[in-house]
mmCIF file of all heavy atoms in Angstrom:
data_model
loop_
_atom_site.group_PDB
_atom_site.id
_atom_site.type_symbol
_atom_site.label_atom_id
_atom_site.label_comp_id
_atom_site.label_asym_id
_atom_site.label_seq_id
_atom_site.Cartn_x
_atom_site.Cartn_y
_atom_site.Cartn_z
ATOM 1 N N PRO A 24 24.753 14.723 -19.508
ATOM 2 C CA PRO A 24 25.997 15.103 -18.821
ATOM 3 C C PRO A 24 26.761 16.237 -19.534
ATOM 4 O O PRO A 24 27.468 17.049 -18.891
ATOM 5 C CB PRO A 24 26.839 13.835 -18.832
ATOM 6 C CG PRO A 24 26.245 12.992 -19.827
ATOM 7 C CD PRO A 24 24.787 13.452 -20.018
ATOM 8 N N GLY A 25 26.544 16.366 -20.811
ATOM 9 C CA GLY A 25 27.133 17.504 -21.562
ATOM 10 C C GLY A 25 28.613 17.322 -21.750
ATOM 11 O O GLY A 25 29.257 16.320 -21.479
ATOM 12 N N VAL A 26 29.246 18.414 -22.159
ATOM 13 C CA VAL A 26 30.686 18.467 -22.422
ATOM 14 C C VAL A 26 31.473 18.404 -21.138
ATOM 15 O O VAL A 26 32.519 17.658 -21.021
ATOM 16 C CB VAL A 26 31.034 19.858 -23.195
ATOM 17 C CG1 VAL A 26 32.538 19.877 -23.379
ATOM 18 C CG2 VAL A 26 30.331 19.816 -24.513
ATOM 19 N N LEU A 27 30.993 19.045 -20.056
ATOM 20 C CA LEU A 27 31.667 18.978 -18.768
ATOM 21 C C LEU A 27 31.733 17.542 -18.297
ATOM 22 O O LEU A 27 32.779 17.097 -17.739
ATOM 23 C CB LEU A 27 30.985 19.915 -17.781
ATOM 24 C CG LEU A 27 31.624 19.962 -16.352
ATOM 25 C CD1 LEU A 27 33.090 20.463 -16.460
ATOM 26 C CD2 LEU A 27 30.760 20.707 -15.409
ATOM 27 N N GLY A 28 30.673 16.844 -18.447
ATOM 28 C CA GLY A 28 30.673 15.372 -17.932
ATOM 29 C C GLY A 28 31.649 14.557 -18.766
ATOM 30 O O GLY A 28 32.354 13.738 -18.218
ATOM 31 N N PHE A 29 31.743 14.774 -20.025
ATOM 32 C CA PHE A 29 32.712 14.141 -20.836
ATOM 33 C C PHE A 29 34.114 14.468 -20.470
ATOM 34 O O PHE A 29 34.970 13.605 -20.432
ATOM 35 C CB PHE A 29 32.482 14.457 -22.392
ATOM 36 C CG PHE A 29 33.587 13.853 -23.277
ATOM 37 C CD1 PHE A 29 33.565 12.469 -23.542
ATOM 38 C CD2 PHE A 29 34.533 14.659 -23.728
ATOM 39 C CE1 PHE A 29 34.572 11.903 -24.325
ATOM 40 C CE2 PHE A 29 35.593 14.089 -24.588
ATOM 41 C CZ PHE A 29 35.526 12.766 -24.823
ATOM 42 N N LEU A 30 34.394 15.750 -20.251
ATOM 43 C CA LEU A 30 35.805 16.137 -19.820
ATOM 44 C C LEU A 30 36.179 15.548 -18.561
ATOM 45 O O LEU A 30 37.311 15.126 -18.355
ATOM 46 C CB LEU A 30 35.864 17.653 -19.785
ATOM 47 C CG LEU A 30 35.738 18.349 -21.135
ATOM 48 C CD1 LEU A 30 35.787 19.848 -20.915
ATOM 49 C CD2 LEU A 30 36.906 17.921 -22.121
ATOM 50 N N VAL A 31 35.231 15.551 -17.600
ATOM 51 C CA VAL A 31 35.599 14.863 -16.234
ATOM 52 C C VAL A 31 35.852 13.404 -16.400
ATOM 53 O O VAL A 31 36.791 12.890 -15.830
ATOM 54 C CB VAL A 31 34.428 15.102 -15.240
ATOM 55 C CG1 VAL A 31 34.599 14.327 -14.029
ATOM 56 C CG2 VAL A 31 34.382 16.624 -14.920
ATOM 57 N N PHE A 32 35.056 12.680 -17.167
ATOM 58 C CA PHE A 32 35.200 11.291 -17.409
ATOM 59 C C PHE A 32 36.519 11.032 -18.178
ATOM 60 O O PHE A 32 37.278 10.061 -17.792
ATOM 61 C CB PHE A 32 34.039 10.704 -18.261
ATOM 62 C CG PHE A 32 34.143 9.268 -18.494
ATOM 63 C CD1 PHE A 32 33.810 8.377 -17.508
ATOM 64 C CD2 PHE A 32 34.610 8.790 -19.736
ATOM 65 C CE1 PHE A 32 33.954 6.971 -17.727
ATOM 66 C CE2 PHE A 32 34.645 7.411 -19.956
ATOM 67 C CZ PHE A 32 34.321 6.534 -18.915
ATOM 68 N N ALA A 33 36.864 11.817 -19.183
ATOM 69 C CA ALA A 33 38.103 11.706 -19.925
ATOM 70 C C ALA A 33 39.310 11.916 -19.009
ATOM 71 O O ALA A 33 40.312 11.212 -19.038
ATOM 72 C CB ALA A 33 38.194 12.594 -21.071
ATOM 73 N N ALA A 34 39.207 13.000 -18.064
ATOM 74 C CA ALA A 34 40.288 13.259 -17.156
ATOM 75 C C ALA A 34 40.514 12.073 -16.175
ATOM 76 O O ALA A 34 41.674 11.675 -15.889
ATOM 77 C CB ALA A 34 40.046 14.463 -16.376
ATOM 78 N N LEU A 35 39.387 11.480 -15.746
ATOM 79 C CA LEU A 35 39.533 10.339 -14.836
ATOM 80 C C LEU A 35 40.188 9.128 -15.594
ATOM 81 O O LEU A 35 40.945 8.442 -14.987
ATOM 82 C CB LEU A 35 38.167 9.902 -14.219
ATOM 83 C CG LEU A 35 37.592 10.849 -13.186
ATOM 84 C CD1 LEU A 35 36.173 10.458 -12.899
ATOM 85 C CD2 LEU A 35 38.481 10.824 -11.946
ATOM 86 N N ALA A 36 39.745 8.945 -16.754
ATOM 87 C CA ALA A 36 40.297 7.762 -17.571
ATOM 88 C C ALA A 36 41.829 7.968 -17.809
ATOM 89 O O ALA A 36 42.618 7.047 -17.645
ATOM 90 C CB ALA A 36 39.595 7.677 -18.891
ATOM 91 N N VAL A 37 42.231 9.211 -18.167
ATOM 92 C CA VAL A 37 43.705 9.458 -18.335
ATOM 93 C C VAL A 37 44.430 9.281 -17.000
ATOM 94 O O VAL A 37 45.536 8.745 -16.955
ATOM 95 C CB VAL A 37 43.891 10.933 -18.939
ATOM 96 C CG1 VAL A 37 45.357 11.315 -18.850
ATOM 97 C CG2 VAL A 37 43.351 10.944 -20.331
ATOM 98 N N GLY A 38 43.851 9.774 -15.939
ATOM 99 C CA GLY A 38 44.468 9.637 -14.618
ATOM 100 C C GLY A 38 44.651 8.163 -14.212
ATOM 101 O O GLY A 38 45.743 7.713 -13.716
ATOM 102 N N VAL A 39 43.647 7.333 -14.422
ATOM 103 C CA VAL A 39 43.748 5.903 -14.156
ATOM 104 C C VAL A 39 44.850 5.260 -15.047
ATOM 105 O O VAL A 39 45.597 4.450 -14.563
ATOM 106 C CB VAL A 39 42.460 5.222 -14.266
ATOM 107 C CG1 VAL A 39 42.515 3.744 -14.273
ATOM 108 C CG2 VAL A 39 41.495 5.669 -13.221
ATOM 109 N N TRP A 40 44.862 5.620 -16.310
ATOM 110 C CA TRP A 40 45.861 5.056 -17.188
ATOM 111 C C TRP A 40 47.233 5.362 -16.664
ATOM 112 O O TRP A 40 48.109 4.575 -16.726
ATOM 113 C CB TRP A 40 45.639 5.589 -18.626
ATOM 114 C CG TRP A 40 46.618 5.035 -19.598
ATOM 115 C CD1 TRP A 40 46.668 3.743 -20.093
ATOM 116 C CD2 TRP A 40 47.679 5.770 -20.198
ATOM 117 N NE1 TRP A 40 47.716 3.694 -20.918
ATOM 118 C CE2 TRP A 40 48.347 4.844 -21.039
ATOM 119 C CE3 TRP A 40 48.127 7.067 -20.060
ATOM 120 C CZ2 TRP A 40 49.462 5.290 -21.820
ATOM 121 C CZ3 TRP A 40 49.214 7.382 -20.818
ATOM 122 C CH2 TRP A 40 49.869 6.615 -21.613
ATOM 123 N N LEU A 41 47.469 6.665 -16.285
ATOM 124 C CA LEU A 41 48.810 7.054 -15.830
ATOM 125 C C LEU A 41 49.172 6.333 -14.482
ATOM 126 O O LEU A 41 50.340 5.965 -14.369
ATOM 127 C CB LEU A 41 48.852 8.583 -15.653
ATOM 128 C CG LEU A 41 48.838 9.426 -16.902
ATOM 129 C CD1 LEU A 41 48.638 10.891 -16.588
ATOM 130 C CD2 LEU A 41 50.105 9.182 -17.668
ATOM 131 N N LEU A 42 48.206 6.202 -13.639
ATOM 132 C CA LEU A 42 48.495 5.482 -12.421
ATOM 133 C C LEU A 42 48.871 4.024 -12.689
ATOM 134 O O LEU A 42 49.758 3.403 -12.083
ATOM 135 C CB LEU A 42 47.337 5.544 -11.477
ATOM 136 C CG LEU A 42 47.138 6.826 -10.728
ATOM 137 C CD1 LEU A 42 45.695 6.811 -10.007
ATOM 138 C CD2 LEU A 42 48.203 7.065 -9.780
ATOM 139 N N MET A 43 48.113 3.368 -13.613
ATOM 140 C CA MET A 43 48.511 2.012 -13.914
ATOM 141 C C MET A 43 49.827 1.840 -14.561
ATOM 142 O O MET A 43 50.613 0.935 -14.289
ATOM 143 C CB MET A 43 47.408 1.439 -14.947
ATOM 144 C CG MET A 43 46.108 1.157 -14.205
ATOM 145 S SD MET A 43 44.771 0.660 -15.281
ATOM 146 C CE MET A 43 45.497 -0.546 -16.298
ATOM 147 N N LYS A 44 50.199 2.844 -15.395
ATOM 148 C CA LYS A 44 51.511 2.824 -16.075
ATOM 149 C C LYS A 44 52.641 2.977 -14.990
ATOM 150 O O LYS A 44 53.671 2.310 -15.014
ATOM 151 C CB LYS A 44 51.574 3.985 -17.077
ATOM 152 C CG LYS A 44 52.797 3.936 -17.931
ATOM 153 C CD LYS A 44 52.656 4.912 -19.050
ATOM 154 C CE LYS A 44 53.921 4.918 -19.934
ATOM 155 N NZ LYS A 44 53.907 5.847 -21.046
ATOM 156 N N SER A 45 52.396 3.897 -14.084
ATOM 157 C CA SER A 45 53.400 4.115 -12.981
ATOM 158 C C SER A 45 53.521 2.904 -12.069
ATOM 159 O O SER A 45 54.634 2.511 -11.680
ATOM 160 C CB SER A 45 52.958 5.349 -12.156
ATOM 161 O OG SER A 45 53.809 5.515 -11.032
ATOM 162 N N MET A 46 52.398 2.294 -11.751
ATOM 163 C CA MET A 46 52.402 1.085 -10.908
ATOM 164 C C MET A 46 53.124 -0.031 -11.611
ATOM 165 O O MET A 46 53.936 -0.780 -11.005
ATOM 166 C CB MET A 46 51.040 0.601 -10.561
ATOM 167 C CG MET A 46 50.955 -0.609 -9.612
ATOM 168 S SD MET A 46 49.341 -1.308 -9.404
ATOM 169 C CE MET A 46 49.141 -2.064 -11.038
ATOM 170 N N ASN A 47 52.972 -0.274 -12.873
ATOM 171 C CA ASN A 47 53.626 -1.270 -13.646
ATOM 172 C C ASN A 47 55.123 -0.957 -13.624
ATOM 173 O O ASN A 47 55.955 -1.910 -13.402
ATOM 174 C CB ASN A 47 53.098 -1.260 -15.089
ATOM 175 C CG ASN A 47 53.573 -2.564 -15.810
ATOM 176 O OD1 ASN A 47 53.948 -3.492 -15.164
ATOM 177 N ND2 ASN A 47 53.445 -2.467 -17.139
ATOM 178 N N ARG A 48 55.569 0.216 -13.759
ATOM 179 C CA ARG A 48 56.971 0.550 -13.792
ATOM 180 C C ARG A 48 57.559 0.314 -12.346
ATOM 181 O O ARG A 48 58.688 -0.284 -12.240
ATOM 182 C CB ARG A 48 57.156 2.031 -14.158
ATOM 183 C CG ARG A 48 58.633 2.451 -14.320
ATOM 184 C CD ARG A 48 58.845 3.900 -14.636
ATOM 185 N NE ARG A 48 57.823 4.402 -15.616
ATOM 186 C CZ ARG A 48 57.003 5.488 -15.348
ATOM 187 N NH1 ARG A 48 57.117 6.136 -14.241
ATOM 188 N NH2 ARG A 48 56.149 5.897 -16.248
ATOM 189 N N HIS A 49 56.861 0.724 -11.281
ATOM 190 C CA HIS A 49 57.374 0.464 -9.924
ATOM 191 C C HIS A 49 57.411 -1.032 -9.586
ATOM 192 O O HIS A 49 58.351 -1.517 -8.928
ATOM 193 C CB HIS A 49 56.567 1.229 -8.947
ATOM 194 C CG HIS A 49 56.835 2.669 -8.828
ATOM 195 N ND1 HIS A 49 56.199 3.572 -9.671
ATOM 196 C CD2 HIS A 49 57.737 3.303 -8.110
ATOM 197 C CE1 HIS A 49 56.723 4.799 -9.390
ATOM 198 N NE2 HIS A 49 57.576 4.677 -8.400
ATOM 199 N N MET A 50 56.437 -1.743 -10.043
ATOM 200 C CA MET A 50 56.432 -3.260 -9.725
ATOM 201 C C MET A 50 57.545 -3.892 -10.526
ATOM 202 O O MET A 50 58.102 -4.956 -10.099
ATOM 203 C CB MET A 50 55.114 -3.797 -10.029
ATOM 204 C CG MET A 50 54.000 -3.367 -9.187
ATOM 205 S SD MET A 50 54.245 -3.741 -7.460
ATOM 206 C CE MET A 50 53.907 -5.481 -7.451
ATOM 207 N N GLY A 51 57.934 -3.424 -11.645
ATOM 208 C CA GLY A 51 58.969 -3.985 -12.458
ATOM 209 C C GLY A 51 60.357 -3.793 -11.785
ATOM 210 O O GLY A 51 61.292 -4.604 -11.930
ATOM 211 N N ARG A 52 60.468 -2.697 -10.962
ATOM 212 C CA ARG A 52 61.757 -2.454 -10.282
ATOM 213 C C ARG A 52 61.911 -3.275 -8.900
ATOM 214 O O ARG A 52 63.062 -3.283 -8.479
ATOM 215 C CB ARG A 52 61.817 -1.022 -9.902
ATOM 216 C CG ARG A 52 61.932 -0.043 -11.103
ATOM 217 C CD ARG A 52 61.981 1.336 -10.663
ATOM 218 N NE ARG A 52 61.973 2.219 -11.882
ATOM 219 C CZ ARG A 52 61.822 3.565 -11.727
ATOM 220 N NH1 ARG A 52 61.719 4.147 -10.591
ATOM 221 N NH2 ARG A 52 61.883 4.272 -12.885
ATOM 222 N N VAL A 53 60.926 -3.912 -8.421
ATOM 223 C CA VAL A 53 60.940 -4.619 -7.284
ATOM 224 C C VAL A 53 61.863 -5.854 -7.450
ATOM 225 O O VAL A 53 61.568 -6.700 -8.301
ATOM 226 C CB VAL A 53 59.567 -4.934 -6.693
ATOM 227 C CG1 VAL A 53 59.635 -5.876 -5.466
ATOM 228 C CG2 VAL A 53 58.789 -3.756 -6.399
ATOM 229 N N ASN A 54 62.766 -6.024 -6.550
ATOM 230 C CA ASN A 54 63.671 -7.237 -6.548
ATOM 231 C C ASN A 54 63.607 -7.834 -5.158
ATOM 232 O O ASN A 54 64.333 -7.380 -4.252
ATOM 233 C CB ASN A 54 65.092 -6.852 -6.939
ATOM 234 C CG ASN A 54 65.961 -8.139 -7.092
ATOM 235 O OD1 ASN A 54 65.426 -9.249 -7.086
ATOM 236 N ND2 ASN A 54 67.215 -7.911 -7.209
ATOM 237 N N PHE A 55 62.660 -8.739 -5.010
ATOM 238 C CA PHE A 55 62.416 -9.206 -3.602
ATOM 239 C C PHE A 55 62.880 -10.664 -3.516
ATOM 240 O O PHE A 55 62.566 -11.511 -4.263
ATOM 241 C CB PHE A 55 60.890 -9.196 -3.433
ATOM 242 C CG PHE A 55 60.542 -9.716 -2.013
ATOM 243 C CD1 PHE A 55 60.710 -8.990 -0.843
ATOM 244 C CD2 PHE A 55 59.960 -11.006 -1.871
ATOM 245 C CE1 PHE A 55 60.369 -9.544 0.349
ATOM 246 C CE2 PHE A 55 59.564 -11.538 -0.675
ATOM 247 C CZ PHE A 55 59.750 -10.784 0.481
ATOM 248 N N GLU A 56 63.796 -10.888 -2.502
ATOM 249 C CA GLU A 56 64.235 -12.206 -2.210
ATOM 250 C C GLU A 56 63.921 -12.433 -0.732
ATOM 251 O O GLU A 56 64.378 -11.608 0.125
ATOM 252 C CB GLU A 56 65.708 -12.344 -2.432
ATOM 253 C CG GLU A 56 66.079 -12.315 -3.901
ATOM 254 C CD GLU A 56 67.584 -12.529 -4.194
ATOM 255 O OE1 GLU A 56 68.236 -12.999 -3.288
ATOM 256 O OE2 GLU A 56 67.971 -12.119 -5.295
ATOM 257 N N GLU A 57 63.134 -13.403 -0.445
ATOM 258 C CA GLU A 57 62.798 -13.629 1.028
ATOM 259 C C GLU A 57 63.913 -14.149 1.733
ATOM 260 O O GLU A 57 64.680 -15.058 1.353
ATOM 261 C CB GLU A 57 61.598 -14.593 1.017
ATOM 262 C CG GLU A 57 60.931 -14.732 2.371
ATOM 263 C CD GLU A 57 59.676 -15.494 2.343
ATOM 264 O OE1 GLU A 57 59.250 -15.833 1.229
ATOM 265 O OE2 GLU A 57 59.203 -15.958 3.384
ATOM 266 N N ALA A 58 64.121 -13.604 2.959
ATOM 267 C CA ALA A 58 65.127 -14.059 3.874
ATOM 268 C C ALA A 58 64.770 -15.417 4.482
ATOM 269 O O ALA A 58 63.509 -15.587 4.682
ATOM 270 C CB ALA A 58 65.399 -12.985 5.026
ATOM 271 N N PRO A 59 65.696 -16.257 4.686
ATOM 272 C CA PRO A 59 65.302 -17.561 5.324
ATOM 273 C C PRO A 59 64.717 -17.396 6.733
ATOM 274 O O PRO A 59 65.183 -16.546 7.462
ATOM 275 C CB PRO A 59 66.564 -18.395 5.342
ATOM 276 C CG PRO A 59 67.674 -17.342 5.210
ATOM 277 C CD PRO A 59 67.083 -16.200 4.458
ATOM 278 N N ASP A 60 63.812 -18.263 7.059
ATOM 279 C CA ASP A 60 63.209 -18.178 8.407
ATOM 280 C C ASP A 60 64.105 -18.747 9.443
ATOM 281 O O ASP A 60 64.546 -19.946 9.243
ATOM 282 C CB ASP A 60 61.847 -18.920 8.395
ATOM 283 C CG ASP A 60 61.068 -18.690 9.623
ATOM 284 O OD1 ASP A 60 61.333 -17.753 10.381
ATOM 285 O OD2 ASP A 60 60.136 -19.560 9.876
ATOM 286 N N PRO A 61 64.479 -18.035 10.512
ATOM 287 C CA PRO A 61 65.444 -18.656 11.481
ATOM 288 C C PRO A 61 64.871 -19.911 12.101
ATOM 289 O O PRO A 61 65.624 -20.790 12.373
ATOM 290 C CB PRO A 61 65.552 -17.492 12.488
ATOM 291 C CG PRO A 61 65.013 -16.338 11.968
ATOM 292 C CD PRO A 61 64.094 -16.666 10.811
ATOM 293 N N ALA A 62 63.582 -19.980 12.390
ATOM 294 C CA ALA A 62 63.003 -21.191 12.945
ATOM 295 C C ALA A 62 63.125 -22.385 12.022
ATOM 296 O O ALA A 62 63.362 -23.523 12.431
ATOM 297 C CB ALA A 62 61.506 -20.969 13.334
#
Side-chain angles (χ1 to χ4, degrees):
V26 177
L27 180 62
F29 173 75
L30 293 176
V31 169
F32 183 77
L35 287 172
V37 169
V39 168
W40 180 74
L41 289 172
L42 283 172
M43 288 174 47
K44 190 173 179 178
S45 175
M46 182 189 70
N47 192 18
R48 187 179 322 124
H49 281 88
M50 293 300 287
R52 292 180 185 171
V53 173
N54 186 10
F55 178 75
E56 293 182 18
E57 188 173 349
D60 188 18

